C-alpha cells in the first residue's frame, strides 16, 4: 500500500511541475488532459499526506510516553491516533481500487418512453425531472440536446448533456429499464398499471478519447418539426448526421441556428460512437463486465418505482427505500451511494 501511495505522490508532483511549464500552459488540450489526470490522483495524494502526518504524530506521542508527567496524556493521544490511522487505512484501501477512467466526465443521458404507451412517455418525463432536480442540487448544468414530446405529456425521447464534477461516477449506474407502478392519469377504473422507460448514460467523448472522421458522416439539413414554438418550420435549421460505417443516425433541432444544431449533433454522435467502442471493449473483458453492478444494457430492469406504497427498489442490489416522493424530487443520493458502496465492496472482495 505504501509503495503505491509513494508512486501516486511522485506522479502527482510530476504533474504539478508539468502544469507549470509555459509550453503546457499555452496548450489548452494538454492542460486539460494533465489537470484531469492530476485530479484523479488528488484524493489518494491528500490521504497519503494525512497518513504521513498521523505516523509522525504517533512517533512523537510514543516518545512523550516516556515522560513521567506527560506520559498518560501522550498514551491517550497515541491510542486516538491509532484509531485514526486504522480508519484512514480503510479509506485508502477504497481510494486505491482501480478507477473507471470515465468517472470524472460529463455525460449524455437519453431517456425513452418504453412499455405502456402514453404512461411510459409520461414516466420518461418524470425521470427527466428527477435527474434535473438532482443536477440542481449537485450544482451540475443540464443542456437539452434532443427531444420528442408526447401529446399526453412527458417524452417519447429526451436526450440531454449533464456537465459538472464527477457526473459519470454518480450517474453511470442509471442505465437500464426503470419500471413504474401507479394508476395512470388516463385510467378510469383506478387500476395500477406497470409501465417502463429506458435510460442510457454515456460518458462524453473528449478530443483525446475519440476522433470522428467527418468523411464517414453524411450530413442532411432539414426543416425542424414538432413542438418548438415560433420559428419552427420556417428555416432549414435541423441537422441529421448518419455515420456510414455503423449506420448510427443523430438528429438535432433544438436550436434555431443550423451551425449550433450541427455542433450538438456531432457531440452526440461522437459520444454514441465512444459508447459503442466501450461496449466492444467490455465484451472482450467479459469477466469485468459480469462483475459490474448490472450489465448496463438498456433492456435490463434495474429499478421499480411503486407509487401506491411510496417505495423504490433497486433490483441489482436488493435496496429498498420508502421515500419515493423525495426521490422523484431529486433526493436520489441514498440509492446512488448504496450502488457505489456495493461496487466498492465487490472490488475489495476481488469479484
Amino acid at each position: 500500500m505504501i509503495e503505491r501511495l509513494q508512486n501516486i505522490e511522485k506522479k502527482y508532483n510530476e504533474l504539478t511541475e508539468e502544469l507549470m511549464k509555459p509550453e503546457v500552459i499555452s496548450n489548452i488540450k494538454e492542460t486539460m488532459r494533465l489537470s484531469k489526470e492530476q485530479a484523479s490522483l488528488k484524493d489518494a495524494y491528500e490521504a497519503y499526506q494525512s497518513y504521513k502526518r498521523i505516523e509522525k504524530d504517533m512517533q512523537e506521542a510514543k516518545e512523550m510516553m516516556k515522560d513521567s508527567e506527560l506520559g498518560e496524556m501522550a498514551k491517550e493521544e497515541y491510542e486516538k491516533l491509532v484509531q485514526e490511522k486504522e480508519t484512514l487505512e480503510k479509506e485508502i484501501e477504497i481510494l486505491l481500487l482501480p478507477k473507471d477512467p470515465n468517472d470524472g466526465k460529463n455525460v449524455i443521458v437519453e431517456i425513452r418512453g418504453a412499455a405502456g404507451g402514453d404512461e411510459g412517455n409520461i414516466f420518461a418525463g418524470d425521470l427527466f425531472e428527477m435527474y434535473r432536480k438532482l443536477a440542481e442540487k449537485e450544482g451540475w448544468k443540464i443542456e437539452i440536446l434532443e427531444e420528442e414530446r408526447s401529446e399526453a405529456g412527458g417524452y417519447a425521447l429526451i436526450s440531454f448533456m449533464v456537465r459538472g464534477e464527477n457526473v459519470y461516477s454518480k450517474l453511470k449506474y442509471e442505465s437500464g429499464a426503470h419500471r413504474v407502478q401507479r394508476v395512470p392519469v388516463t385510467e378510469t377504473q383506478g387500476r395500477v398499471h406497470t409501465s417502463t422507460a429506458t435510460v442510457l448514460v454515456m460518458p462524453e467523448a473528449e478530443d483525446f478519447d475519440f476522433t470522428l472522421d467527418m468523411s464517414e458522416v453524411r450530413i442532411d439539413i432539414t426543416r425542424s418539426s414538432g413542438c418548438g414554438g415560433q420559428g419552427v418550420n420556417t428555416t432549414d435549421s435541423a441537422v441529421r448526421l448518419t455515420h456510414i460505417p455503423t449506420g448510427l443516425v443523430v438528429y438535432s433541432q433544438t436550436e434555431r441556428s443550423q451551425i449550433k444544431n450541427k455542433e450538438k449533433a456531432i457531440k452526440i454522435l461522437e459520444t454514441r460512437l465512444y459508447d459503442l467502442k466501450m461496449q466492444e471493449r467490455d465484451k472482450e473483458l467479459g469477466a469485468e463486465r459480469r462483475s459490474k453492478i448490472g450489465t448496463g444494457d438498456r433492456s435490463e430492469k434495474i429499478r421499480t418505482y411503486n407509487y401506491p406504497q411510496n417505495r423504490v427498489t433497486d433490483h441489482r442490489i436488493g435496496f429498498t427505500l420508502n421515500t419515493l416522493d423525495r426521490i422523484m424530487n431529486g433526493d436520489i443520493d441514498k440509492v446512488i451511494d448504496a450502488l457505489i458502496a456495493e461496487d466498492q465492496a465487490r472490488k475489495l472482495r476481488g469479484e
Side-chain angles (χ1 to χ4, degrees):
M1 183 183 87
I2 298 301
E3 192 179 335
R4 285 182 69 191
L5 288 168
Q6 285 170 342
N7 289 336
I8 286 168
E9 182 182 52
K10 185 184 172 191
K11 183 67 181 172
Y12 188 91
N13 291 332
E14 283 172 0
L15 288 165
T16 301
E17 287 175 24
E18 280 290 310
L19 284 160
M20 290 169 72
K21 289 180 180 176
E23 63 269 28
V24 173
I25 292 167
S26 61
N27 186 332
I28 294 169
K29 279 187 186 176
E30 186 63 4
T31 300
M32 278 178 66
R33 188 185 70 79
L34 294 173
S35 297
K36 287 202 169 192
E37 190 180 349
Q38 189 183 54
S40 72
L41 302 173
K42 190 182 175 189
D43 289 345
Y45 171 83
E46 289 181 348
Y48 184 43
Q49 304 316 301
S50 299
Y51 188 86
K52 288 195 291 185
R53 277 195 299 273
I54 288 172
E55 286 218 307
K56 182 173 173 284
D57 291 346
M58 281 175 72
Q59 195 55 45
E60 287 174 3
K62 216 171 186 180
E63 288 299 314
M64 284 175 65
M65 279 161 65
K66 296 171 187 173
D67 188 291
S68 55
E69 289 181 13
L70 300 173
E72 197 58 41
M73 193 192 300
K75 189 184 174 188
E76 283 178 23
E77 179 63 17
Y78 182 82
E79 286 169 359
K80 184 180 149 200
L81 288 164
V82 166
Q83 286 179 345
E84 280 181 28
K85 185 182 174 185
E86 285 174 2
T87 302
L88 187 56
E89 279 174 344
K90 284 174 186 170
E91 288 172 15
I92 288 170
E93 208 174 20
I94 290 169
L95 288 171
L96 292 179
L97 287 171
K99 279 193 170 60
D100 186 329
N102 292 314
D103 273 354
K105 291 184 180 177
N106 300 325
V107 302
I108 288 180
V109 182
E110 188 181 276
I111 306 174
R112 292 176 185 269
D118 287 343
E119 173 63 5
N121 293 340
I122 291 167
F123 182 51
D126 293 338
L127 288 175
F128 170 66
E129 280 302 308
M130 178 181 79
Y131 294 128
R132 189 186 65 75
K133 286 169 183 172
L134 171 67
E136 215 171 74
K137 269 179 55 184
E138 295 283 346
W140 300 336
K141 301 292 179 196
I142 277 186
E143 178 191 2
I144 293 173
L145 302 173
E146 190 180 355
E147 59 178 5
E148 289 174 28
R149 290 183 180 271
S150 166
E151 284 183 21
Y155 302 91
L157 161 71
I158 181 160
S159 173
F160 54 97
M161 170 80 79
V162 188
R163 291 188 172 92
E165 196 174 334
N166 296 319
V167 178
Y168 185 70
S169 70
K170 293 196 173 179
L171 291 183
K172 63 182 174 182
Y173 305 104
E174 296 301 299
S175 286
H178 295 239
R179 185 173 72 168
V180 63
Q181 294 173 329
R182 65 184 176 190
V183 178
V185 182
T186 53
E187 169 59 50
T188 55
Q189 305 295 318
R191 289 173 300 187
V192 173
H193 286 225
T194 298
S195 306
T196 59
T198 60
V199 176
L200 180 63
V201 178
M202 300 172 283
E204 179 189 16
E206 293 169 335
D207 292 343
F208 40 83
D209 288 324
F210 184 86
T211 306
L212 180 63
D213 183 352
M214 289 304 291
S215 68
E216 297 179 338
V217 179
R218 189 175 75 238
I219 304 170
D220 296 305
I221 308 301
T222 64
R223 289 205 168 180
S224 298
S225 61
C227 308
Q230 200 175 0
V232 170
N233 288 324
T234 59
T235 56
D236 293 333
S237 60
V239 175
R240 184 172 63 240
L241 302 183
T242 306
H243 187 247
I244 296 158
T246 61
L248 274 175
V249 178
V250 166
Y251 186 74
S252 179
Q253 66 164 22
T254 55
E255 302 289 340
R256 291 189 185 184
S257 155
Q258 187 188 116
I259 293 167
K260 285 183 179 175
N261 278 327
K262 186 181 173 185
E263 284 172 1
K264 279 189 175 184
I266 288 171
K267 176 54 70 180
I268 298 167
L269 184 57
E270 283 175 339
T271 297
R272 284 187 178 164
L273 288 167
Y274 179 53
D275 185 59
L276 208 60
K277 186 174 141 189
M278 288 198 306
Q279 284 177 40
E280 285 166 6
R281 186 207 65 187
D282 283 342
K283 279 176 190 171
E284 288 168 20
L285 304 170
E288 183 193 327
R289 188 64 156 163
R290 282 193 298 275
S291 72
K292 288 182 180 175
I293 291 179
T295 62
D297 290 341
R298 190 184 287 179
S299 60
E300 183 196 14
K301 183 185 76 179
I302 63 164
R303 198 175 294 148
T304 295
Y305 303 72
N306 185 298
Y307 275 71
Q309 295 175 25
N310 199 35
R311 186 183 70 223
V312 170
T313 299
D314 195 288
H315 304 290
R316 295 163 295 178
I317 58 172
F319 183 77
T320 296
L321 284 174
N322 290 95
T323 53
L324 172 62
D325 51 340
R326 287 164 58 185
I327 285 167
M328 297 312 289
N329 209 33
D331 192 12
I332 193 174
D333 309 70
K334 284 182 181 174
V335 181
I336 291 170
D337 290 345
L339 287 159
I340 291 170
E342 177 60 24
D343 197 16
Q344 290 171 347
R346 289 183 188 185
K347 284 175 180 169
L348 286 170
R349 292 195 299 266
E351 291 179 12

